[in-house]
Amino acid sequence: MINRLKELIIDNKYPIGNYGIEREMLRVDENGVLAFTPHPRGLGSKFENPYITTDFAESQIEVITPAFQDSEEAFNFLNDLYDIVAKEIGKEYLWPQSMPCEIPDDKEIPVAEFGTEKDAIDAKEYREKLLSKYGGKKQLISGIHYNFSFSEELLKGLYADECNEYTYKEFKNKVYLKVARNYLRYRWILIYLLGSSSILHKSFIEEEDCTKCYKEVVKDTFIHEGGISYRNGECGYRNLVDLFPNYDSVGEYVESIEGFIKEKLIESHKELYSQIRLKANDPNKFLESLRQEGIKYLEYRTIDVNPFEKGGISLVDLEFLKVFNLFLLLKDESSYSQWQEEALHNQNHVAKFGKNEVQLKRDGDNISKVQWALEILEEMKGISDKLQLDKENIINIMIERVQEPELTYSYRIEEVVKKAGYINAYMALAKKYKEEANNNVELTETYSKVHQWL
């Protein structure tokens, strides 16, 4: 397949894919306390605005970029959305981290309001059920969702080699299902490379097993030494029991979700908190649309908010993901039957101990995290070279992060927080990013698209 990709990408100059980003973030006051104010009117209707809405809480803003064929365009649009929101929230700030700011008890967390229409009432009632089932504090954990699809030109070019063994829809489903399965197998490396949520504020800490190993390093600031990502760990935001959908076909995937709902493990497909989601053309009739029309794109849900980036994710990391997508497509799959359970073990282990020298599981055998990560990155180098993607320098940055844990976002932000304290460290970043937003006086193309919804 890589030779065919070379023809399509280099000779035919077909675009590789489409890239979009969703970013969740909390509004806070100047003291780093969760804001209780309503969603700003100047940001438009949260039910209608396709770019700016809320997630679980009234003070949890979500910004959404369109899909672009260039990662840099998505990156720029995301940062412009940040600026628009930061200017509109007055004296408030946007919290630059996945783990929450200073937060109240569950009963005081303001659930998002959407209005008096039936759909709006249903949306609030759904969130209230989540509050009751999972607790409000976990609902405030925020992240980056990365939306990806291969370009139609590229997929149709690959399909031309299939001799019509499958319909185009079936072929496209097979491609995305393979990528999804491999994503689940290799998601641990993204947690290591991009994780940055190993620090908790006292107000998030509860008397439970999940946080009993966290130690206070400065006032109201708790860290799990060696950890990378609380959000992606066993105690992050996930279903009450481990759920393993069937990714062998779209039909079996849909049947899995219907089974989970029938068994009352989840209320709807929206409550399946998988690390990756298959996305349908019609989200309002998700299961039916997925079965009838096939997979439209994939949503990666592993990525923590990067506190060192105003928009929450760096351009370097987005360019890395572009090669990672191709690696997932090209990488042969093993026949190991317990691959989903093993992948979850690796996710949990890296999230909790990733900065340490740890052993992971690969097809039932132990393997060093460093050894396996370097093997993956060297394979990605080969893909970049073969397809003339010019991403060797970016992959080298990731290799350095593997070899030197001190270069990970998790380690770097821990050092900052240990010196300044949890609230002070993050508020310094929030104020810096708000100042940058206020200094951005250019009316960008992003603003012209968003303005009609404000």
Side-chain angles (χ1 to χ4, degrees), residues 308-325:
F308 299 107
E309 286 286 332
K310 181 177 70 173
I313 187 168
S314 76
L315 184 56
V316 165
D317 294 338
L318 288 171
E319 291 297 314
F320 171 77
L321 286 168
K322 186 183 292 185
V323 191
F324 189 65
N325 298 330

Side-chain angles (χ1 to χ4, degrees), residues 337-383:
S337 62
Q338 300 298 307
W339 67 272
Q340 287 209 61
E341 291 84 352
E342 188 175 77
L344 178 60
H345 165 82
N346 290 339
Q347 171 190 332
N348 292 338
H349 210 53
V350 170
K352 194 170 184 178
F353 304 108
K355 290 199 292 291
N356 299 334
E357 292 293 330
V358 296
Q359 295 285 311
L360 303 180
K361 296 288 186 181
R362 184 169 68 179
D363 295 343
D365 297 324
N366 290 333
I367 182 170
S368 155
K369 173 204 71 184
V370 172
Q371 177 188 339
W372 196 4
L374 294 178
E375 287 178 11
I376 293 168
L377 294 171
E378 287 299 329
E379 286 187 54
M380 289 178 62
K381 263 193 184 181
I383 293 169

Side-chain angles (χ1 to χ4, degrees), residues 232-441:
N232 284 293
E234 294 172 281
C235 305
Y237 192 31
R238 58 172 63 182
N239 296 108
L240 299 181
V241 296
D242 295 330
L243 300 175
F244 301 109
N246 189 325
Y247 291 92
D248 290 342
S249 70
V250 167
E252 288 167 301
Y253 178 81
V254 170
E255 288 174 8
S256 298
I257 296 178
E258 290 173 335
F260 299 150
I261 295 170
K262 186 176 181 180
E263 294 174 35
K264 300 188 182 304
L265 297 172
I266 56 176
E267 183 171 304
S268 76
H269 69 90
K270 293 184 292 185
E271 199 187 330
L272 178 63
Y273 301 124
S274 173
Q275 292 274 305
I276 191 168
R277 279 181 175 168
L278 314 184
K279 304 297 282 190
N281 189 57
D282 185 351
N284 296 317
K285 299 178 180 178
F286 174 77
L287 297 178
E288 179 184 344
S289 177
L290 202 58
R291 184 181 273 128
Q292 296 297 324
E293 301 168 283
I295 303 167
K296 184 179 180 181
Y297 65 95
L298 300 174
E299 179 187 67
Y300 300 174
R301 298 166 58 82
T302 305
I303 304 167
D304 284 348
V305 171
N306 181 350
F308 299 107
E309 286 286 332
K310 181 177 70 173
I313 187 168
S314 76
L315 184 56
V316 165
D317 294 338
L318 288 171
E319 291 297 314
F320 171 77
L321 286 168
K322 186 183 292 185
V323 191
F324 189 65
N325 298 330
L326 292 168
F327 165 79
L328 299 176
L329 173 64
L330 292 165
K331 183 66 176 175
D332 289 337
E333 298 182 79
S334 78
S335 58
Y336 186 67
S337 62
Q338 300 298 307
W339 67 272
Q340 287 209 61
E341 291 84 352
E342 188 175 77
L344 178 60
H345 165 82
N346 290 339
Q347 171 190 332
N348 292 338
H349 210 53
V350 170
K352 194 170 184 178
F353 304 108
K355 290 199 292 291
N356 299 334
E357 292 293 330
V358 296
Q359 295 285 311
L360 303 180
K361 296 288 186 181
R362 184 169 68 179
D363 295 343
D365 297 324
N366 290 333
I367 182 170
S368 155
K369 173 204 71 184
V370 172
Q371 177 188 339
W372 196 4
L374 294 178
E375 287 178 11
I376 293 168
L377 294 171
E378 287 299 329
E379 286 187 54
M380 289 178 62
K381 263 193 184 181
I383 293 169
S384 175
D385 181 61
K386 184 85 170 180
L387 300 180
Q388 297 180 18
L389 301 178
D390 194 28
K391 304 299 181 197
E392 183 176 346
N393 288 341
I394 285 172
I395 297 170
N396 282 336
I397 290 172
M398 303 302 167
I399 289 173
E400 289 176 352
R401 286 185 200 170
V402 170
Q403 295 173 328
E404 301 179 52
E406 295 81 4
L407 298 177
T408 60
Y409 297 134
S410 177
Y411 183 93
R412 289 170 55 200
I413 194 63
E414 281 184 12
E415 292 303 296
V416 174
V417 171
K418 283 177 182 177
K419 292 177 182 176
Y422 191 90
I423 298 297
N424 290 340
Y426 288 120
M427 284 307 298
L429 291 169
K431 291 174 180 178
K432 171 189 171 187
Y433 299 147
K434 185 172 180 99
E435 183 179 358
E436 290 177 8
N438 288 332
N439 290 336
N440 182 2
V441 295

